[in-house]
Amino acid sequence: MDLVKYVQEKYIETKDFPVFKSGDSITVYYEIREGAKTRTQFFKGTVIQIRGTGRTKTFTIRKMSGDVGVERVFPMNMPALQNITLDRKGKVRRARIYYFRELRGKKARVKDVAYTKK
């Protein structure tokens, strides 16, 4: 087990992103390679869960694209991850808000928490 931790600390670089939790609305900017070209794409949605610790930490974001819910899991130290911006802080009582998947319309809103944007 110590060997795995050693390799993770040695070879996986950490990036500085804002601190966020479940219920927060964030925008994730990541790089996409199409052949020889690279471009930046963003995914904007609500954080459903944060899983893992240290360098293997992942987070799941959910957004509505029309009537279809789209979820995406991002590793925190993915090399293609460029930036994360915190759009709104949300107030939820749970760390993993799976019940959010079944909610539609006005019920699918998360209460805002007043905060200062840095």
Side-chain angles (χ1 to χ4, degrees):
M1 195 64 173
D2 291 0
L3 182 63
V4 173
K5 285 183 183 178
Y6 171 76
V7 170
Q8 287 176 354
E9 289 178 11
K10 180 118 174 130
Y11 293 106
I12 298 177
E13 64 182 48
T14 58
K15 299 178 180 181
D16 290 332
F17 293 125
V19 177
F20 56 90
K21 58 182 182 54
S22 323
D24 294 349
S25 294
I26 63 173
T27 305
V28 178
Y29 297 91
Y30 57 98
E31 193 175 88
I32 291 198
R33 292 185 188 89
E34 296 171 337
K37 296 180 185 177
T38 60
R39 64 184 175 88
T40 301
Q41 188 170 337
F42 69 91
F43 193 88
K44 189 174 192 170
T46 306
V47 179
I48 296 289
Q49 72 170 345
I50 298 174
R51 168 178 278 174
T53 58
R55 303 185 193 245
T56 59
K57 193 179 220 181
T58 63
F59 57 97
T60 306
I61 301 179
R62 180 178 176 84
K63 74 171 181 178
M64 292 302 290
S65 181
D67 290 341
V68 180
V70 180
E71 288 187 13
R72 177 126 192 214
V73 178
F74 289 98
M76 194 66 99
N77 291 308
M78 183 169 78
L81 214 60
Q82 291 180 341
N83 191 15
I84 297 175
T85 58
L86 184 60
D87 300 329
R88 287 192 337 237
K89 279 224 177 253
K91 181 185 176 198
V92 292
R93 293 183 175 190
R94 296 171 184 255
R96 298 189 177 169
I97 51 176
Y98 296 134
Y99 65 88
F100 197 66
R101 294 172 176 157
E102 278 75 45
L103 302 180
R104 299 284 179 262
K106 288 186 179 180
K107 291 183 180 180
R109 284 194 250 164
V110 176
K111 287 187 179 179
D112 287 346
V113 174
Y115 80 102
T116 56
K117 212 173 204 181
K118 291 182 181 179

